DNA sequence: TAATTTACCACACAGATGTATGGTATGTCA
DNA sequence: TGACATACCATACATCTGTGTGGTAAATTA
């Protein structure tokens, strides 16, 4: 289990946290010492040991700057259920942890597209949503795909009727678009994201 | 501008990339040399210089492991429009870049909730979607909020009718829920995410 | 009261690390 | 042809860096 930190230990952890965020590089022991005015590297070592013991960081011994934040202490939990008792949220059922970094460090060819129009609104894809698209020529029936029709990119369901394929909107106000030589498949929607202001 | 890399330079960049992803720590010059069988650190320095000159990395001189990936070369572009011409996607109108890391390194109290039920379906929030929630007691009219009703967490629109507040579903099959002492506001939905398999 | 934890200090040291200097060889481009 | 980029090599060195040893003092906990 993750144990409580003292105020000073929290400050040191926060500094490491910020360094990784801003410099994209964990600090050295001496950089930590300098930040807090410690004249001895041993002091920092004591702090790091405490943070390791309490489950907040891991240290890869011998390597320079090898302080790693322990994920479970920082990642956002995905909750399957939330139990009562405010102001503290009792975490009853953690499905897992969100780590969107995986998406961004994927080696696949991925890009994001801002959705225009309401043609997929019944599939929960609204105007101004962001869809992450993996570029690929192939797609399966039922996939949400991005296709180029002439010069315009469009997000649609790929469906099949008999021997013909259609780009099917999820909005009864729009007509399906037959897939022909004017239509080229760009990729498959793998994620949709919407931000609320 | 970002210039083309040679195959070997690409390999070195890929190695740095993977090291940062897997170890969460950029490699040292000697770690790179070992990976590629270089017997001289000078060789690695030449590669790093080339990568710096071509705009792929930045180096903080003097510091250990201080190789930083240049963001624009790696982040996923958010496209406002996509122009024709496959297989190369012509990027015409880049709105910006997605960096969800910001969310995860935020100091705000954020958690994610897996949506159950279809009560917000007309607002584009579908069953099994993931909503990122910022914990806060206050909310504004029109916000999508997460509230506890008894023991159950629910995602709804916060609306006002006269002097009364309601949790309003976005599905005509459901009734609005009056906000009373049995209802406690947990937070505000700031992002919704859906993944397609 | 005794043991433990927290919170610092000084000093030393081996090895890790970035950098410098100066090569060789090959291919490309103007 | 000459300048330049690419792709390596060997060696040296100052300093950075993690770690070890051994302290002191106060607060907390059993």
């Amino acid at each position: 289990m993750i144990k409580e930190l003292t105020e000073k230990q929290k400050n040191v952890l926060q500094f490491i946290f910020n360094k990784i965020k801003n410099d994209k590089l964990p600090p050295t022991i001496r950089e930590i010492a300098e930040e807090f005015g410690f004249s001895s590297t041993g002091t920092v070592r004591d702090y790091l040991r405490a943070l390791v013991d309490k489950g907040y960081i891991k240290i890869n011994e011998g390597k320079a700057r090898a302080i790693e934040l322990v994920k479970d202490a920082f990642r956002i939990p995905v909750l399957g259920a939330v139990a009562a008792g405010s102001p503290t949220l009792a975490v009853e059922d953690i499905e897992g942890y969100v780590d969107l970094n995986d998406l961004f460090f994927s080696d696949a060819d991925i890009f994001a597209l801002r959705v225009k129009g309401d043609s997929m609104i019944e599939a929960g894809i609204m105007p101004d949503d962001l869809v992450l698209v993996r570029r690929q020529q192939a797609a399966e029936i039922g996939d949400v795909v991005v296709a180029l029709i002439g010069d315009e990119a469009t997000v649609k369901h790929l469906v099949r009727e008999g021997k013909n394929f259609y780009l099917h909107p999820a909005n009864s106000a729009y007509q399906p678009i037959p897939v022909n030589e004017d239509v080229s498949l760009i990729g498959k929607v793998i994620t949709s994201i919407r931000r609320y202001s």
Side-chain angles (χ1 to χ4, degrees), chain A:
Chain A
M1 260 315 288
I2 291 174
K3 295 175 191 167
E4 286 295 317
L5 296 179
T6 66
E7 274 308 307
K8 293 186 176 183
Q9 288 169 354
K10 266 186 199 167
N11 290 338
V12 172
L13 183 61
Q14 186 69 47
F15 176 69
I16 296 169
F17 198 83
N18 291 339
K19 272 287 177 182
I20 292 175
K21 178 186 173 188
N22 298 327
D23 301 354
K24 289 155 190 292
L25 204 61
T28 64
I29 287 176
R30 282 171 181 81
E31 284 170 359
I32 298 172
E34 190 181 11
E35 170 72 14
F36 293 97
F38 301 145
S39 62
S40 170
T41 56
T43 302
V44 177
R45 181 207 45 205
D46 290 346
Y47 273 100
L48 295 183
R49 275 191 189 149
L51 293 175
V52 168
D53 290 345
K54 292 182 177 180
Y56 286 82
I57 62 173
K58 274 192 292 187
I59 288 187
N60 201 331
E61 291 182 9
K63 289 187 181 176
R65 301 181 184 274
I67 303 173
E68 187 182 343
L69 299 177
V70 171
K71 287 185 172 186
D72 288 356
F74 295 97
R75 288 160 99 191
I76 299 175
V78 178
L79 307 183
V82 181
S86 56
T88 310
L89 201 61
V91 175
E92 292 283 271
D93 177 15
I94 297 182
E95 286 187 11
Y97 291 87
V98 187
D99 195 348
L100 288 172
N101 278 25
D102 294 346
L103 272 175
F104 290 87
F105 276 99
S106 161
D107 48 357
D109 192 349
I110 293 174
F111 68 95
L113 185 67
R114 178 81 59 193
V115 174
K116 287 176 180 162
D118 56 0
S119 72
M120 289 298 280
I121 204 163
E122 287 167 24
I125 298 176
M126 319 287 280
D128 284 321
D129 282 5
L130 214 55
V131 289
L132 301 190
V133 183
R134 189 197 301 128
R135 288 198 61 199
Q136 55 185 49
Q137 255 66 51
E140 291 175 53
I141 305 304
D143 281 351
V144 177
V145 299
V146 174
L148 267 190
I149 305 174
D151 270 356
E152 212 176 335
T154 186
V155 179
K156 294 284 183 297
H157 267 127
L158 182 66
V159 301
R160 180 181 190 168
E161 278 176 38
K163 57 175 68 173
N164 299 316
F165 292 90
Y166 291 87
L167 298 175
H168 210 102
N171 184 333
S172 49
Y174 292 83
Q175 296 299 315
I177 298 161
V179 176
N180 56 33
E181 59 276 12
D182 294 333
V183 175
S184 60
L185 186 64
I186 293 180
K188 173 174 151 56
V189 171
I190 54 172
T191 302
S192 73
I193 297 172
R194 177 158 58 244
R195 298 201 201 211
Y196 296 83
S197 56

